[in-house]
Amino acid sequence: MTCNEAEILLHAFLDGELDAGHAREIEGHVATCPRCAAALRVYGELRAAMSRSDLRYVAPDSLRARINGMFPAATPRASNRWTLFNSFMLGSALSATAAASLMFAVVRSDQDQMIAGELVSAHLRSLQAERLIDVHTSDQHTVRPWFNGKVDIAPPVVDLAAQGFTLVGGRLDFIDGRAVAAIVYRRGGHVINLFVTQGSSFGRGSTLKTMHGFNVKLWSEQGLYFGAISDINADELQEFEEKFEAATR
Amino acid sequence: MSPNDGRERFETVVAPYLADAHAYARWLIRNRADAEDVVQEACVRAFRAIDQFSGSNGRAWLLTIVRNTAFTWLKEKRAEALVSMDGLNESERLAVERGALLESSTSPEGEMIAAADADELERHIAALPTEFREVLVLRDMRGLDYREIARITGAPIGTVMSRLARARSMLRTAWLATEGQPI
């Protein structure tokens, strides 16, 4: 790789947008070229300064009020809990953008990849402090009704403790701009997020992907779409799907 | 679709991204009151079109509308504010090239940038031509990925990459120039 090529690509590298092959080439080039290594470091620092500086222009409450005021008052169907959750999601969606931006390589474009990327982001987000679980219980009969009115499906919830996957709770999450049910399991010290939606953006058929060290398993069953993600190995995740499907059938 | 459905769709699809919309408009328009008008107008357009939104990426969708609204506004209110993609003058072009040649293995400039005065940084970013400024804002301040930025700005991903490279290079050069450092 020449310095001219590296000059453009190191930005994509810095932004986590390069596919693995090009990323390795950049790493190789930077290791042997002090000039490009210095440039990479400086751009990283410049970017950090931009995110630290107060340049993000916080939207004033008056603007939110103006926009809310544009609409005729809606019949309040949503509970306060829901409203609170929405405001919370706004905050976490912003902080999650950094994680989300890591997910895409320049050359990748297929829908599965996009969804897998979103699942990885959501998974990472869920592992941040106190984001994992909204309803904390190993009782499947508590988790399932909790989703009533929050998502447009009644997700199947089963405890698989006997099969080695312990149900720990549920959470509302957003994938591809849409509310989805997230059911949380643990296997040993590992967290498994199982996302359930009826949105067809998850794609049909069953696929297993590895992304940023996480395994992502997508499948569909009886009109519902499932995405399981964890840092457990691929075989165990496959086993999780089989046990889950067997228990819900 | 009942008005309530539209309102609820707006709440899920658009409302979570008001902060992004506001920041983007603010950096495009460079005037607080006008930027807020643009965001409001964009929200009106988004609300009217909400049933055409197919549901893949609410943020990119809203920001595309914000961009169109802002550019329409700029054209109407101050035509001179738009700088064309190749509108760099000779000195800007030289500055970009000199910036690219800069060598520094010990990186004192990095420490300087780290201590950067936000006002100074803001001034430099505001001085970038629109096409460069917007990719910088979308990427470095709002954290959008290249594909989203390509979709919003209607430019190919390769163009997004090269604009971002130029934007950062110009910013770095401008910053060093104010500091009176040898380039």
Side-chain angles (χ1 to χ4, degrees):
Chain A
M1 176 171 291
T2 67
C3 288
N4 276 345
E5 289 168 323
E7 217 164 274
I8 299 285
L9 286 183
L10 63 81
H11 291 278
F13 176 73
L14 193 66
D15 293 328
E17 296 263 2
L18 277 190
D19 59 287
H22 282 96
R24 270 195 301 276
E25 280 185 48
I26 283 281
E27 280 169 345
H29 178 78
V30 165
T32 57
C33 174
R35 205 189 85 180
C36 289
L40 183 64
R41 192 164 54 242
V42 169
Y43 286 128
E45 284 161 0
L46 183 61
R47 199 172 61 153
M50 274 191 276
S51 62
R52 271 197 306 274
S53 311
D54 190 18
L55 298 172
R56 295 166 56 96
Y57 291 133
V58 177
D61 291 341
S62 57
L63 176 64
R64 290 179 192 283
R66 261 169 77 184
I67 286 162
N68 281 329
M70 298 187 319
F71 305 109
T75 317
R77 272 192 234 165
S79 70
N80 286 337
R81 171 83 174 74
W82 174 242
T83 314
L84 276 175
F85 186 76
N86 270 342
S87 359
F88 181 58
M89 277 309 298
L90 177 58
S92 69
L94 294 180
S95 68
T97 52
S101 66
L102 290 171
M103 300 313 153
F104 298 108
V106 169
V107 289
R108 296 173 182 160
S109 62
D110 69 284
Q111 177 79 357
D112 275 359
Q113 198 73 25
M114 197 271 283
I115 289 297
E118 291 231 359
L119 293 183
V120 172
S121 302
H123 184 70
L124 287 171
R125 209 158 63 218
S126 79
L127 299 177
Q128 289 168 3
E130 300 180 14
R131 263 297 294 142
L132 185 59
I133 293 165
D134 289 334
V135 53
H136 201 126
T137 172
S138 60
D139 181 359
Q140 61 199 56
H141 302 294
T142 306
V143 175
R144 188 179 159 109
W146 181 84
F147 284 111
N148 282 346
K150 298 185 179 67
V151 290
D152 50 5
I153 51 162
V157 180
V158 285
D159 188 7
L160 299 169
Q163 291 91 332
F165 303 92
T166 312
L167 174 69
V168 288
R171 182 181 79 250
L172 190 62
D173 215 317
F174 285 82
I175 298 293
D176 203 15
R178 191 186 167 108
V180 302
I183 305 163
V184 186
Y185 291 89
R186 274 190 199 277
R187 181 177 182 93
H190 304 276
V191 170
I192 303 166
N193 267 298
L194 176 65
F195 297 95
V196 190
T197 178
Q198 62 173 353
S200 56
S201 58
F202 273 33
R204 290 181 192 284
S206 176
T207 58
L208 179 73
K209 288 179 182 300
T210 301
M211 224 183 187
H212 296 272
F214 296 103
N215 288 307
V216 181
K217 175 84 196 173
L218 300 173
W219 75 93
S220 60
E221 192 68 39
Q222 298 181 342
L224 292 177
Y225 295 82
F226 298 87
I229 172 164
S230 179
D231 57 353
I232 60 174
N233 68 42
D235 289 343
E236 285 177 293
L237 197 60
Q238 181 69 40
E239 186 196 339
F240 172 76
E241 186 209 334
E242 287 162 11
K243 296 280 159 60
F244 180 85
E245 282 305 325
T248 53
R249 213 161 266 147
Chain B
M1 193 173 71
S2 83
N4 262 4
D5 290 341
R7 176 71 200 261
E8 281 183 14
R9 288 269 284 156
F10 185 88
E11 289 295 331
T12 12
V13 173
V14 173
Y17 306 114
L18 278 184
D20 293 297
H22 174 258
Y24 189 27
R26 186 82 165 73
W27 277 108
L28 285 175
I29 300 283
R30 290 186 275 182
N31 170 296
R32 182 182 156 172
D34 293 338
E36 290 183 16
D37 287 347
V38 162
V39 172
Q40 186 174 10
E41 169 65 20
C43 285
V44 170
R45 292 190 194 186
F47 182 72
R48 287 195 192 125
I50 198 89
D51 53 345
Q52 291 155 31
F53 174 68
S54 59
S56 66
N57 187 335
R59 181 157 72 149
W61 184 68
L62 175 63
L63 293 183
T64 308
I65 297 173
V66 168
R67 185 177 194 269
N68 291 337
T69 312
F71 278 23
T72 306
W73 190 95
L74 285 169
K75 262 183 217 139
E76 284 169 5
K77 300 282 161 80
R78 34 176 148 131
E80 78 280 9
L82 278 176
V83 180
S84 87
M85 173 60 202
D86 297 311
L88 290 187
N89 65 32
E90 188 66 6
S91 71
E92 283 169 329
R93 199 177 55 74
L94 281 175
V96 171
E97 284 168 6
R98 273 197 315 232
L101 290 175
L102 189 78
E103 280 189 42
S104 166
S105 51
T106 54
S107 186
E109 63 168 318
E111 288 160 30
M112 233 165 46
I113 291 169
D117 174 27
D119 289 347
E120 198 79 326
L121 206 50
E122 176 172 5
R123 204 166 55 75
H124 291 312
I125 296 168
L128 295 174
T130 310
E131 281 82 356
F132 298 106
R133 186 174 356 111
E134 68 173 339
V135 292
L136 196 74
V137 168
L138 291 173
R139 172 61 229 161
D140 287 342
M141 293 179 204
R142 309 313 303 183
L144 279 82
D145 63 58
Y146 288 11
R147 284 202 298 138
E148 291 174 306
I149 297 172
R151 178 177 158 192
I152 291 163
T153 58
I157 282 180
T159 306
V160 170
M161 275 174 72
S162 60
R163 282 184 192 175
L164 196 55
R166 275 174 95 178
R168 286 174 178 164
S169 174
M170 286 160 81
L171 189 58
R172 170 184 169 199
T173 308
W175 175 254
L176 292 176
T178 9
E179 291 303 299
Q181 294 294 310
I183 296 176

